[in-house]
Structures are given as C-alpha cells and as structure tokens.
Amino acid sequence: MSTTAPPRPRRGLPFSPWHLLLLPVSLLFLLPFVEMLLTSLTPASDINRFPPAFLPSHLTLSGYEKLFEQSSILRWLLNTAVVSAAAIVSHLVLCSLAGYGFARLRFPGRSPGFLAVLATIMIPSQLLMIPTYVMFARLGLVNNLGAAIVPWLASAFGIFLMRQFFLSLPTELEEAGRIDGCSRWGVFFRIVLPLARPALATLAIFTLLGSWNDLVWPLVAINDESSFTLQLGLTNFQGTRRTDWSLLMAGNVVATLPLVLLFLVAQKQFVATMASAGLKG
C-alpha cells in the first residue's frame, strides 16, 4: 500500500501586489523631505545656480553652523515642546471630561450646548484674531509663551471626537460599575478612560501636529524672540529681498526631525490607533 505525501502549500509572494503601487507613491511623498535635507547641506553657490541641480556638488554644514550661531533655535525648540506638551495634557483632560459630559450626563441645554460647540468649528480663525488679541492683551497674555499655550487648552474637534467615542461604548459597563458602588468619577477614571485609549491617542496625535506647526496666532501675539516657537522663528529667516535657503532648510530639518523620530519609534502604535479609533455613533 503506497502513500502519497500531502501537497506542499504554495508559497505566496513575499510582498503584497499593493506594494508595487504604494512604493512609488511613498517615494513621491518622501521626495520633498529628501530635497529639504539636501538643500540644508548644499552650498549657497549651488542653490543659486540656474538651472538648479538635484544633487549638490559637495555637502557642507554651513547652514547648520549659521543656524545654531545666529539664532536661538534650541530656545525655540524648547518653547515649542512646552506648548505641545501643555496642549496634549490639557486636551486629554478637558476634552475627555467635556466629551463624557455631553455623551452620558443629562442636564438642561445639553443638545443646544453641543451644537454651539460644533458651530465654533465653522467660524474662520481669522475672524476671531482681533477679539482674541484684545482679550489676551487685557489679561496680560500677549508677547509671552502663555499666548501660544492658552488657545490649545481645548478644542471643539477634541470634544466632538471624545463624545463620539464615548457614545460607542456600551452603557452596561458603566451601570455595572455603579451597581458595584463606584461613583460617577470612579466609573469615568476606572472604566471609561482605560477603554478610551485609542481615542485619547488619536487626539494626542492631532494635537501634537497642530500645536507643533502652529504659526498664524503666534505670529500675531508674540514679538519677543525669547518666546518664539519653532515655526515663528523660522519665519524670520525669510527676507523680502534675500533668503538664505541653506539656513532655512536646516531650521526646517530641526523642526521636522523630532516628529519623524517620534513616528519611527511609535509607528506601530500610531497605525493601530488610527485603525481602531474611527468615529462611531
């Protein structure tokens, strides 16, 4: 009696066919960053040459030397980190509390109040700059780092995001906690918030990107160089007649590098968060 060996499973391709499409697209998105890095290492003679060349004749660190010698880039980097850290912490605390209140608590004017919060998203930020500046000036928050921090304490988008996520959670979990003797605060901190980690991570990512790259409001409210953020400081490198492009691109590399390193370190968490934190309800 002869036996035949079971057929070997066919090995698939070591990559998905989608990679054939995604790889050229990813290279297309990567090209501006490569050009920014090369320009920061390119001598001024090559940058001003016409027609321009993609690759420099030789590499130089003169742009970075001028950046650290002629500017307070480290101070600006610290200011931006402080603003972003304060924005993330305040967003996670205030937006989660407000979102949970609109999602679960019953109080008069809840629906009109939430609609009023959403309506602020449709108001152009340029329309609010003058009254906001006047209010900040009366409070003594102009021309210091507080002017960049206060507008990022909370946002209508953050409240909306957290409310939608809380509505997707089953109320039976909270009712079980209340039956076991847990207070409303205990239910929120011990049951609801641990389940809301994907939404909190998503909110933290968007808040970090927005606060790190904010330019228009600091440009209006801050004139003291010691309180400049990165984007505001880099704007001063652009002159009306002549711009030192190697210096400007070196500053852009320094401003972009922390976000790139953060993404490379936590890319799996970022992808998992974005995949699992879709808006529901």
Side-chain angles (χ1 to χ4, degrees):
M1 183 176 181
S2 61
T3 58
T4 58
R8 295 182 178 179
R10 297 180 60 185
R11 292 186 178 180
L13 294 175
F15 55 88
S16 171
W18 280 103
H19 291 165
L20 298 176
L21 175 63
L22 296 178
L23 182 59
V25 174
S26 63
L27 294 178
L28 183 63
F29 280 98
L30 187 62
L31 184 61
F33 296 97
V34 175
E35 180 63 21
M36 178 180 66
L37 179 60
L38 289 177
T39 304
S40 68
L41 300 172
T42 302
S45 58
D46 287 359
I47 294 177
N48 299 324
R49 185 176 61 186
F50 186 84
F54 180 76
L55 296 177
S57 58
H58 65 279
L59 302 180
T60 177
L61 295 176
S62 61
Y64 292 91
E65 293 174 356
K66 289 184 289 185
L67 175 67
F68 288 97
E69 291 175 358
Q70 302 177 11
S71 70
S72 304
I73 186 68
L74 296 180
R75 177 71 179 181
W76 302 343
L77 185 62
L78 177 61
N79 291 341
T80 305
V82 170
V83 172
S84 298
I88 292 174
V89 173
S90 62
H91 259 72
L92 296 184
V93 174
L94 299 179
C95 293
S96 61
L97 288 173
Y100 184 76
F102 282 121
R104 289 290 189 260
L105 302 184
R106 306 286 186 227
F107 55 89
R110 185 185 70 163
S111 296
F114 180 67
L115 292 178
V117 171
L118 286 184
T120 60
I121 300 179
M122 296 180 289
I123 301 177
S125 59
Q126 295 81 358
L127 190 65
L128 302 176
M129 281 188 180
I130 294 179
T132 302
Y133 183 86
V134 172
M135 180 179 64
F136 275 43
R138 292 176 178 176
L139 295 175
L141 292 176
V142 173
N143 208 24
N144 55 57
L145 202 57
I149 295 177
V150 173
W152 283 100
L153 294 181
S155 66
F157 170 77
I159 296 173
F160 171 75
L161 174 67
M162 297 308 301
R163 175 187 179 270
Q164 295 303 104
F165 188 87
F166 290 143
L167 287 177
S168 68
L169 297 178
T171 58
E172 290 78 8
L173 296 175
E174 301 174 45
E175 294 173 357
R178 296 299 298 273
I179 292 175
D180 290 340
C182 200
S183 64
R184 174 69 73 176
W185 286 105
V187 169
F188 177 72
F189 285 108
R190 297 181 182 180
I191 299 177
V192 176
L193 276 188
L195 296 175
R197 288 177 181 174
L200 293 174
T202 302
L203 180 59
I205 293 171
F206 284 118
T207 305
L208 172 63
L209 294 177
S211 59
W212 190 274
N213 295 316
D214 190 19
L215 170 62
V216 178
W217 172 247
L219 186 63
V220 174
I222 299 177
N223 295 319
D224 185 6
E225 185 176 349
S226 63
S227 299
F228 278 5
T229 59
L230 267 175
Q231 303 303 327
L232 182 55
L234 294 178
T235 302
N236 290 335
F237 293 160
Q238 302 183 35
T240 56
R241 297 180 180 274
R242 181 179 179 273
T243 298
D244 191 336
W245 290 106
S246 62
L247 175 63
L248 180 60
M249 291 300 106
N252 287 327
V253 170
V254 173
T256 307
L257 189 59
L259 297 180
V260 174
L261 294 178
L262 179 63
F263 176 79
L264 293 178
V265 171
Q267 58 179 328
K268 292 184 179 180
Q269 289 79 1
F270 284 174
V271 174
T273 295
M274 301 304 293
S276 63
L279 299 182
K280 302 178 182 179

